Amino acid sequence: VNPAGESPVWVRVSHARKSSYFTQTGVAVREKDWNADKRVVRASHTLSKAYNEKLADLVARAKMAALHATCARDVVAALKGEG
């Protein structure tokens, strides 16, 4: 949790029952602004549209990378631009 009371939003990547996390999403929100069921930033947050678009793009990129990956770390590396 940062000094503003916001927690970072991470993307979890799973492949062959192993998980890895992409932590550099650039998205951080207060707990009240996160909809855990839908896994989106609530509309009440001023940057919800931009944050949700960014997260949706990351998930889409992760899915594309997963098509050619051999493990979850490969997908995270691709999201970081290393793969």
Side-chain angles (χ1 to χ4, degrees), residues 14-80:
S14 298
H15 188 280
R17 292 187 249 172
K18 302 285 183 185
S19 293
S20 192
Y21 294 88
F22 178 68
T23 61
Q24 302 167 358
T25 63
V27 177
V29 296
R30 292 177 185 254
E31 186 176 349
K32 69 178 183 124
D33 292 321
W34 181 250
N35 184 327
D37 293 332
K38 295 182 180 179
R39 298 179 181 169
V40 296
V41 179
R42 294 182 190 275
S44 58
H45 190 281
T46 56
L47 296 174
S48 64
K49 183 176 180 181
Y51 282 173
N52 288 329
E53 286 175 359
K54 185 174 190 174
L55 293 170
D57 178 60
L58 284 170
V59 169
R61 288 177 41 211
K63 288 179 179 180
M64 290 297 294
L67 295 174
H68 306 287
T70 57
C71 66
R73 288 184 185 156
D74 290 347
V75 176
V76 171
L79 290 176
K80 290 180 178 178

